[in-house]
mmCIF file with all atom_site columns, all heavy atoms in Angstrom:
data_model
loop_
_atom_site.group_PDB
_atom_site.id
_atom_site.type_symbol
_atom_site.label_atom_id
_atom_site.label_alt_id
_atom_site.label_comp_id
_atom_site.label_asym_id
_atom_site.label_entity_id
_atom_site.label_seq_id
_atom_site.pdbx_PDB_ins_code
_atom_site.Cartn_x
_atom_site.Cartn_y
_atom_site.Cartn_z
_atom_site.occupancy
_atom_site.B_iso_or_equiv
_atom_site.pdbx_formal_charge
_atom_site.auth_seq_id
_atom_site.auth_comp_id
_atom_site.auth_asym_id
_atom_site.auth_atom_id
_atom_site.pdbx_PDB_model_num
ATOM 1   N N   . ASN A 1 144 ? -0.335 -9.336  6.170  1.00 98.00 ? 160 ASN A N   1
ATOM 2   C CA  . ASN A 1 144 ? 0.897  -9.858  5.577  1.00 98.00 ? 160 ASN A CA  1
ATOM 3   C C   . ASN A 1 144 ? 1.633  -10.660 6.640  1.00 98.00 ? 160 ASN A C   1
ATOM 4   O O   . ASN A 1 144 ? 1.971  -10.141 7.703  1.00 98.00 ? 160 ASN A O   1
ATOM 5   C CB  . ASN A 1 144 ? 1.781  -8.706  5.105  1.00 98.00 ? 160 ASN A CB  1
ATOM 6   C CG  . ASN A 1 144 ? 2.964  -9.179  4.281  1.00 98.00 ? 160 ASN A CG  1
ATOM 7   O OD1 . ASN A 1 144 ? 2.834  -9.417  3.091  1.00 98.00 ? 160 ASN A OD1 1
ATOM 8   N ND2 . ASN A 1 144 ? 4.126  -9.335  4.910  1.00 98.00 ? 160 ASN A ND2 1
ATOM 9   N N   . ILE A 1 145 ? 1.852  -11.940 6.343  1.00 98.00 ? 161 ILE A N   1
ATOM 10  C CA  . ILE A 1 145 ? 2.614  -12.786 7.263  1.00 98.00 ? 161 ILE A CA  1
ATOM 11  C C   . ILE A 1 145 ? 3.956  -13.076 6.604  1.00 98.00 ? 161 ILE A C   1
ATOM 12  O O   . ILE A 1 145 ? 4.019  -13.743 5.571  1.00 98.00 ? 161 ILE A O   1
ATOM 13  C CB  . ILE A 1 145 ? 1.846  -14.088 7.579  1.00 98.00 ? 161 ILE A CB  1
ATOM 14  C CG1 . ILE A 1 145 ? 0.555  -13.751 8.338  1.00 98.00 ? 161 ILE A CG1 1
ATOM 15  C CG2 . ILE A 1 145 ? 2.718  -15.055 8.369  1.00 98.00 ? 161 ILE A CG2 1
ATOM 16  C CD1 . ILE A 1 145 ? -0.275 -14.961 8.746  1.00 98.00 ? 161 ILE A CD1 1
ATOM 17  N N   . GLY A 1 146 ? 5.006  -12.541 7.182  1.00 98.00 ? 162 GLY A N   1
ATOM 18  C CA  . GLY A 1 146 ? 6.345  -12.714 6.622  1.00 98.00 ? 162 GLY A CA  1
ATOM 19  C C   . GLY A 1 146 ? 7.339  -12.099 7.588  1.00 98.00 ? 162 GLY A C   1
ATOM 20  O O   . GLY A 1 146 ? 6.945  -11.403 8.539  1.00 98.00 ? 162 GLY A O   1
ATOM 21  N N   . ILE A 1 147 ? 8.622  -12.315 7.348  1.00 98.00 ? 163 ILE A N   1
ATOM 22  C CA  . ILE A 1 147 ? 9.632  -11.769 8.270  1.00 98.00 ? 163 ILE A CA  1
ATOM 23  C C   . ILE A 1 147 ? 10.848 -11.335 7.468  1.00 98.00 ? 163 ILE A C   1
ATOM 24  O O   . ILE A 1 147 ? 11.044 -11.765 6.330  1.00 98.00 ? 163 ILE A O   1
ATOM 25  C CB  . ILE A 1 147 ? 9.972  -12.824 9.364  1.00 98.00 ? 163 ILE A CB  1
ATOM 26  C CG1 . ILE A 1 147 ? 10.675 -12.181 10.568 1.00 98.00 ? 163 ILE A CG1 1
ATOM 27  C CG2 . ILE A 1 147 ? 10.787 -13.988 8.808  1.00 98.00 ? 163 ILE A CG2 1
ATOM 28  C CD1 . ILE A 1 147 ? 10.674 -13.052 11.827 1.00 98.00 ? 163 ILE A CD1 1
ATOM 29  N N   . GLY A 1 148 ? 11.665 -10.473 8.069  1.00 98.00 ? 164 GLY A N   1
ATOM 30  C CA  . GLY A 1 148 ? 12.867 -9.968  7.385  1.00 98.00 ? 164 GLY A CA  1
ATOM 31  C C   . GLY A 1 148 ? 12.462 -9.229  6.119  1.00 98.00 ? 164 GLY A C   1
ATOM 32  O O   . GLY A 1 148 ? 11.564 -8.390  6.132  1.00 98.00 ? 164 GLY A O   1
ATOM 33  N N   . GLY A 1 149 ? 13.074 -9.578  5.008  1.00 98.00 ? 165 GLY A N   1
ATOM 34  C CA  . GLY A 1 149 ? 12.771 -8.900  3.754  1.00 98.00 ? 165 GLY A CA  1
ATOM 35  C C   . GLY A 1 149 ? 11.342 -9.093  3.297  1.00 98.00 ? 165 GLY A C   1
ATOM 36  O O   . GLY A 1 149 ? 10.836 -8.323  2.479  1.00 98.00 ? 165 GLY A O   1
ATOM 37  N N   . SER A 1 150 ? 10.669 -10.107 3.815  1.00 98.00 ? 166 SER A N   1
ATOM 38  C CA  . SER A 1 150 ? 9.275  -10.355 3.433  1.00 98.00 ? 166 SER A CA  1
ATOM 39  C C   . SER A 1 150 ? 8.298  -9.610  4.340  1.00 98.00 ? 166 SER A C   1
ATOM 40  O O   . SER A 1 150 ? 7.096  -9.853  4.299  1.00 98.00 ? 166 SER A O   1
ATOM 41  C CB  . SER A 1 150 ? 8.995  -11.861 3.475  1.00 98.00 ? 166 SER A CB  1
ATOM 42  O OG  . SER A 1 150 ? 9.841  -12.526 2.562  1.00 98.00 ? 166 SER A OG  1
ATOM 43  N N   . ASP A 1 151 ? 8.852  -8.708  5.151  1.00 98.00 ? 167 ASP A N   1
ATOM 44  C CA  . ASP A 1 151 ? 8.031  -7.934  6.082  1.00 98.00 ? 167 ASP A CA  1
ATOM 45  C C   . ASP A 1 151 ? 8.450  -6.458  6.092  1.00 98.00 ? 167 ASP A C   1
ATOM 46  O O   . ASP A 1 151 ? 7.628  -5.563  5.921  1.00 98.00 ? 167 ASP A O   1
ATOM 47  C CB  . ASP A 1 151 ? 8.181  -8.513  7.498  1.00 98.00 ? 167 ASP A CB  1
ATOM 48  C CG  . ASP A 1 151 ? 7.661  -7.610  8.582  1.00 98.00 ? 167 ASP A CG  1
ATOM 49  O OD1 . ASP A 1 151 ? 6.453  -7.375  8.622  1.00 98.00 ? 167 ASP A OD1 1
ATOM 50  O OD2 . ASP A 1 151 ? 8.483  -7.121  9.397  1.00 98.00 ? 167 ASP A OD2 1
ATOM 51  N N   . LEU A 1 152 ? 9.767  -6.245  6.284  1.00 98.00 ? 168 LEU A N   1
ATOM 52  C CA  . LEU A 1 152 ? 10.237 -4.879  6.565  1.00 98.00 ? 168 LEU A CA  1
ATOM 53  C C   . LEU A 1 152 ? 9.985  -3.913  5.411  1.00 98.00 ? 168 LEU A C   1
ATOM 54  O O   . LEU A 1 152 ? 9.558  -2.772  5.634  1.00 98.00 ? 168 LEU A O   1
ATOM 55  C CB  . LEU A 1 152 ? 11.736 -4.903  6.900  1.00 98.00 ? 168 LEU A CB  1
ATOM 56  C CG  . LEU A 1 152 ? 12.076 -5.589  8.221  1.00 98.00 ? 168 LEU A CG  1
ATOM 57  C CD1 . LEU A 1 152 ? 13.572 -5.915  8.299  1.00 98.00 ? 168 LEU A CD1 1
ATOM 58  C CD2 . LEU A 1 152 ? 11.676 -4.708  9.400  1.00 98.00 ? 168 LEU A CD2 1
ATOM 59  N N   . VAL A 1 174 ? 2.370  -9.191  10.364 1.00 98.00 ? 190 VAL A N   1
ATOM 60  C CA  . VAL A 1 174 ? 2.700  -10.123 11.436 1.00 98.00 ? 190 VAL A CA  1
ATOM 61  C C   . VAL A 1 174 ? 4.012  -10.816 11.056 1.00 98.00 ? 190 VAL A C   1
ATOM 62  O O   . VAL A 1 174 ? 4.107  -11.434 9.993  1.00 98.00 ? 190 VAL A O   1
ATOM 63  C CB  . VAL A 1 174 ? 1.579  -11.167 11.627 1.00 98.00 ? 190 VAL A CB  1
ATOM 64  C CG1 . VAL A 1 174 ? 1.998  -12.219 12.642 1.00 98.00 ? 190 VAL A CG1 1
ATOM 65  C CG2 . VAL A 1 174 ? 0.288  -10.476 12.059 1.00 98.00 ? 190 VAL A CG2 1
ATOM 66  N N   . SER A 1 175 ? 5.010  -10.693 11.911 1.00 98.00 ? 191 SER A N   1
ATOM 67  C CA  . SER A 1 175 ? 6.311  -11.291 11.592 1.00 98.00 ? 191 SER A CA  1
ATOM 68  C C   . SER A 1 175 ? 6.820  -12.208 12.699 1.00 98.00 ? 191 SER A C   1
ATOM 69  O O   . SER A 1 175 ? 7.336  -13.290 12.430 1.00 98.00 ? 191 SER A O   1
ATOM 70  C CB  . SER A 1 175 ? 7.336  -10.181 11.344 1.00 98.00 ? 191 SER A CB  1
ATOM 71  O OG  . SER A 1 175 ? 7.346  -9.257  12.412 1.00 98.00 ? 191 SER A OG  1
ATOM 72  N N   . ASN A 1 176 ? 6.640  -11.791 13.948 1.00 98.00 ? 192 ASN A N   1
ATOM 73  C CA  . ASN A 1 176 ? 7.280  -12.492 15.062 1.00 98.00 ? 192 ASN A CA  1
ATOM 74  C C   . ASN A 1 176 ? 6.635  -13.842 15.333 1.00 98.00 ? 192 ASN A C   1
ATOM 75  O O   . ASN A 1 176 ? 5.403  -13.980 15.245 1.00 98.00 ? 192 ASN A O   1
ATOM 76  C CB  . ASN A 1 176 ? 7.150  -11.616 16.318 1.00 98.00 ? 192 ASN A CB  1
ATOM 77  C CG  . ASN A 1 176 ? 8.184  -11.946 17.352 1.00 98.00 ? 192 ASN A CG  1
ATOM 78  O OD1 . ASN A 1 176 ? 8.547  -13.103 17.543 1.00 98.00 ? 192 ASN A OD1 1
ATOM 79  N ND2 . ASN A 1 176 ? 8.657  -10.929 18.036 1.00 98.00 ? 192 ASN A ND2 1
ATOM 80  N N   . VAL A 1 177 ? 7.448  -14.824 15.687 1.00 98.00 ? 193 VAL A N   1
ATOM 81  C CA  . VAL A 1 177 ? 6.888  -16.138 16.038 1.00 98.00 ? 193 VAL A CA  1
ATOM 82  C C   . VAL A 1 177 ? 6.206  -16.075 17.410 1.00 98.00 ? 193 VAL A C   1
ATOM 83  O O   . VAL A 1 177 ? 5.452  -16.994 17.779 1.00 98.00 ? 193 VAL A O   1
ATOM 84  C CB  . VAL A 1 177 ? 7.988  -17.230 15.991 1.00 98.00 ? 193 VAL A CB  1
ATOM 85  C CG1 . VAL A 1 177 ? 8.896  -17.157 17.215 1.00 98.00 ? 193 VAL A CG1 1
ATOM 86  C CG2 . VAL A 1 177 ? 7.373  -18.628 15.843 1.00 98.00 ? 193 VAL A CG2 1
ATOM 87  N N   . ALA A 1 199 ? 3.975  -14.339 2.862  1.00 98.00 ? 215 ALA A N   1
ATOM 88  C CA  . ALA A 1 199 ? 5.121  -13.809 2.110  1.00 98.00 ? 215 ALA A CA  1
ATOM 89  C C   . ALA A 1 199 ? 6.394  -14.487 2.585  1.00 98.00 ? 215 ALA A C   1
ATOM 90  O O   . ALA A 1 199 ? 6.844  -14.256 3.715  1.00 98.00 ? 215 ALA A O   1
ATOM 91  C CB  . ALA A 1 199 ? 5.203  -12.294 2.329  1.00 98.00 ? 215 ALA A CB  1
ATOM 92  N N   . THR A 1 205 ? 10.622 -20.581 6.102  1.00 97.00 ? 221 THR A N   1
ATOM 93  C CA  . THR A 1 205 ? 11.040 -19.837 7.301  1.00 97.00 ? 221 THR A CA  1
ATOM 94  C C   . THR A 1 205 ? 10.114 -20.172 8.474  1.00 97.00 ? 221 THR A C   1
ATOM 95  O O   . THR A 1 205 ? 8.881  -20.051 8.368  1.00 97.00 ? 221 THR A O   1
ATOM 96  C CB  . THR A 1 205 ? 11.038 -18.321 6.981  1.00 97.00 ? 221 THR A CB  1
ATOM 97  O OG1 . THR A 1 205 ? 11.909 -18.123 5.872  1.00 97.00 ? 221 THR A OG1 1
ATOM 98  C CG2 . THR A 1 205 ? 11.506 -17.495 8.159  1.00 97.00 ? 221 THR A CG2 1
ATOM 99  N N   . GLU A 1 207 ? 9.275  -18.974 11.415 1.00 97.00 ? 223 GLU A N   1
ATOM 100 C CA  . GLU A 1 207 ? 8.313  -18.013 11.975 1.00 97.00 ? 223 GLU A CA  1
ATOM 101 C C   . GLU A 1 207 ? 7.085  -17.892 11.067 1.00 97.00 ? 223 GLU A C   1
ATOM 102 O O   . GLU A 1 207 ? 5.934  -17.924 11.518 1.00 97.00 ? 223 GLU A O   1
ATOM 103 C CB  . GLU A 1 207 ? 8.954  -16.623 12.105 1.00 97.00 ? 223 GLU A CB  1
ATOM 104 C CG  . GLU A 1 207 ? 10.034 -16.523 13.153 1.00 97.00 ? 223 GLU A CG  1
ATOM 105 C CD  . GLU A 1 207 ? 11.423 -16.812 12.596 1.00 97.00 ? 223 GLU A CD  1
ATOM 106 O OE1 . GLU A 1 207 ? 11.531 -17.551 11.584 1.00 97.00 ? 223 GLU A OE1 1
ATOM 107 O OE2 . GLU A 1 207 ? 12.395 -16.328 13.194 1.00 97.00 ? 223 GLU A OE2 1
ATOM 108 N N   . THR A 1 208 ? 7.356  -17.736 9.773  1.00 98.00 ? 224 THR A N   1
ATOM 109 C CA  . THR A 1 208 ? 6.270  -17.501 8.816  1.00 98.00 ? 224 THR A CA  1
ATOM 110 C C   . THR A 1 208 ? 5.389  -18.734 8.672  1.00 98.00 ? 224 THR A C   1
ATOM 111 O O   . THR A 1 208 ? 4.151  -18.623 8.613  1.00 98.00 ? 224 THR A O   1
ATOM 112 C CB  . THR A 1 208 ? 6.873  -17.062 7.465  1.00 98.00 ? 224 THR A CB  1
ATOM 113 O OG1 . THR A 1 208 ? 7.665  -15.889 7.712  1.00 98.00 ? 224 THR A OG1 1
ATOM 114 C CG2 . THR A 1 208 ? 5.803  -16.759 6.432  1.00 98.00 ? 224 THR A CG2 1
ATOM 115 N N   . GLN A 1 340 ? 18.379 -3.971  7.989  1.00 98.00 ? 356 GLN A N   1
ATOM 116 C CA  . GLN A 1 340 ? 18.556 -5.264  7.319  1.00 98.00 ? 356 GLN A CA  1
ATOM 117 C C   . GLN A 1 340 ? 19.352 -5.080  6.031  1.00 98.00 ? 356 GLN A C   1
ATOM 118 O O   . GLN A 1 340 ? 20.273 -5.855  5.737  1.00 98.00 ? 356 GLN A O   1
ATOM 119 C CB  . GLN A 1 340 ? 17.219 -5.939  6.986  1.00 98.00 ? 356 GLN A CB  1
ATOM 120 C CG  . GLN A 1 340 ? 17.442 -7.339  6.376  1.00 98.00 ? 356 GLN A CG  1
ATOM 121 C CD  . GLN A 1 340 ? 16.219 -7.966  5.736  1.00 98.00 ? 356 GLN A CD  1
ATOM 122 O OE1 . GLN A 1 340 ? 15.248 -7.299  5.437  1.00 98.00 ? 356 GLN A OE1 1
ATOM 123 N NE2 . GLN A 1 340 ? 16.270 -9.264  5.520  1.00 98.00 ? 356 GLN A NE2 1
#
Side-chain angles (χ1 to χ4, degrees):
N160 189 83
I161 295 182
I163 197 163
S166 299
D167 166 66
L168 292 164
V190 174
S191 52
N192 202 323
V193 76
T221 303
E223 291 91 334
T224 303
Q356 184 193 17

